[in-house]
Every structure is written in C-alpha cells, then in structure tokens.
Amino acid sequence: ETGVTQTPRHLVMGMTNKKSLKCEQHLGHNAMYWYKQSAKKPLELMFVYNFKEQTENNSVPSRFSPECPNSSHLFLHLHTLQPEDSALYLCASSQTTGGSEAFFGQGTRLTVV
Amino acid sequence: AQSVTQLGSHVSVSEGALVLLRCNYSSSVPPYLFWYVQYPNQGLQLLLKYTSAATLVKGINGFEAEFKKSETSFHLTKPSAHMSDAAEYFCAVSDSGEFGNEKLTFGTGTRLTIIP
C-alpha cells in the first residue's frame, strides 16, 4: 500500500468515549501532521512531528492527545470530546526539506454526539 | 505570520470555459506556494507548487498557476473546464519550519462548480 492511510474513515463517538485515530505513511517521510477541517473554516494545523518528536502544538485542547511511535505512524487519541470537535481530521506527511509538498490521507470524519 | 486569501468561496463556470481561481498571499520572505484540490469525502491532493524555479508552474489535470511577486498573487487557471474539475480548491503558503518541514497555512477554499 502506498501514500498516507487513515483509519477509520468515519467515527461516531459519545462525549464520554475514548477513541483513537490512526495514520500510516508509506512514503519514507520524516514529518507528520494532524489537521482539523471544519465547515466554513480554514484548515487548522493541530500538531507537527519531526523524526518522532513533537515540534508544534497549536494550542490544541488536552482532550486531543497525539502519539508518534515512529516516523511512519501517527495517532490522535480522543477523550471527552465536545460536539464542536466534529470535523474531518486529516493526517499528512512530508520530507523535512523546504519546499516539499505535504501528502494527505483521506481523512477521518468524526461526529461527536 | 504568513497568510493566504482566496477571493470567492464559490465559483461557477460553464464546461469548456476558462477557470480562474484567485489567491493572494502575505509573506515576509520568498514563499513556497501550493494549490491543492479536494474531492468530496477525500483528502487533499497536490495540483502544483511554486518553489522559485519558474514563475509559471504547470500542474496536473491541465491546471497552471503564475507567481506574480508585484501583485503577491498565485492565481490558478485552466483554459477549458471539465465536469471532473468540480471540487474544492485550496491555496496554501509554506512557512518552512525550524526543522525544514512544511507548515502549510491554507486559504478558506474555493468551491468550483461546472455548469454543463
């Protein structure tokens, strides 16, 4: 399998649930990202990992907890979410070279009920 | 901080007509600029990118964009629209991070509708 793969594609969870989103890239990249895409809003960068180390957290609430065990895998652990957290969550990866484009997964459509 | 502005959240063109999607950027340094396309229920796919090699950049599916520094613009064009071009298009500017990775800042997107 090639590219960036996200699972699950769709997730419905209650506000008291705990769930995780998974992202895997088969491109040999060293940087991975989580983005949030909400209706009527620009894509929001949430987290950046370089060589497994978190290098950016854009003031994301602690109910979102990222994990990057290696350069190919990225998780987003979710707990006690709010309905306003419903969105499309996109994972991306890139080389750590200026001008390198980011490759995106197909996203996880999350609905919090 | 870098930013992009996409003029027009919705654009409709007839099949076979010229497509023009506008993007203006704000950057304190020479930027890297990107256009991405998103089809329904899909992730973002790169159409083309500008990295200072040439001001006219050709991408996939017949799209191209011209970098104009004097106008701080990077508009996306296609001479003849096809029904399959219906999608949402995002302009992005890159702030190459401390570690060299791309921190993309996206515009709000333009939804392109093709009229048969």
Side-chain angles (χ1 to χ4, degrees):
Chain A
E1 194 168 353
T2 59
V4 181
T5 304
Q6 290 188 243
T7 54
R9 292 292 310 278
H10 300 272
L11 178 62
V12 179
M13 59 185 290
M15 290 189 284
T16 59
N17 290 161
K18 290 184 180 181
K19 297 287 184 182
S20 295
L21 309 184
K22 179 182 176 182
C23 176
E24 184 174 1
Q25 59 98 359
H26 306 270
L27 301 168
H29 293 161
N30 290 310
M32 295 188 78
Y33 314 78
W34 280 116
Y35 283 87
K36 177 183 178 182
Q37 186 177 30
S38 305
K40 312 290 185 188
K41 288 185 176 181
L43 277 84
E44 303 170 54
L45 178 64
M46 300 174 72
F47 301 103
V48 181
Y49 277 82
N50 284 276
F51 298 95
K52 305 185 299 177
E53 299 298 320
Q54 187 181 128
T55 54
E56 184 142 350
N57 175 339
N58 274 341
S59 303
V60 180
S62 59
R63 58 185 183 270
F64 295 90
S65 175
E67 178 189 2
C68 189
N70 55 61
S71 292
S72 298
H73 293 85
L74 185 64
F75 295 89
L76 188 62
H77 304 299
L78 315 171
H79 64 98
T80 60
L81 295 190
Q82 305 298 311
E84 60 264 30
D85 296 322
S86 299
L88 182 68
Y89 288 85
L90 292 164
C91 174
S93 69
S94 74
Q95 294 284 21
T96 51
T97 306
S100 298
E101 64 267 31
F103 290 77
F104 285 81
Q106 292 186 307
T108 296
R109 173 69 63 186
L110 174 67
T111 303
V112 181
V113 297
Chain B
Q2 308 203 60
S3 65
V4 288
T5 302
Q6 291 184 242
L7 295 176
S9 57
H10 291 85
V11 171
S12 296
V13 301
S14 297
E15 190 174 14
L18 171 72
V19 175
L20 170 61
L21 303 182
R22 299 178 186 275
C23 173
N24 288 87
Y25 69 90
S26 169
S27 175
S28 58
V29 297
Y32 298 122
L33 293 160
F34 305 80
W35 275 100
Y36 283 85
V37 61
Q38 185 178 33
Y39 298 101
N41 299 313
Q42 299 291 321
L44 277 70
Q45 178 184 2
L46 182 72
L47 276 177
L48 48 82
K49 67 176 182 179
Y50 168 75
T51 57
S52 78
T55 56
L56 183 62
V57 182
K58 294 188 182 299
I60 63 171
N61 302 338
F63 284 92
E64 61 183 36
E66 187 172 8
F67 173 71
K68 292 187 176 180
K69 184 178 179 180
S70 60
E71 298 176 8
T72 61
S73 68
F74 190 57
H75 301 330
L76 181 71
T77 61
K78 181 174 180 176
S80 177
H82 191 274
M83 294 301 295
S84 61
D85 294 328
E88 187 142 20
Y89 292 80
F90 293 90
C91 182
V93 62
S94 170
D95 175 7
S96 192
E98 177 183 350
F99 298 91
N101 60 282
E102 299 311 318
K103 294 167 52 179
L104 293 171
T105 299
F106 285 89
T108 50
T110 298
R111 184 168 299 279
L112 177 64
T113 300
I114 309 300
I115 304 166

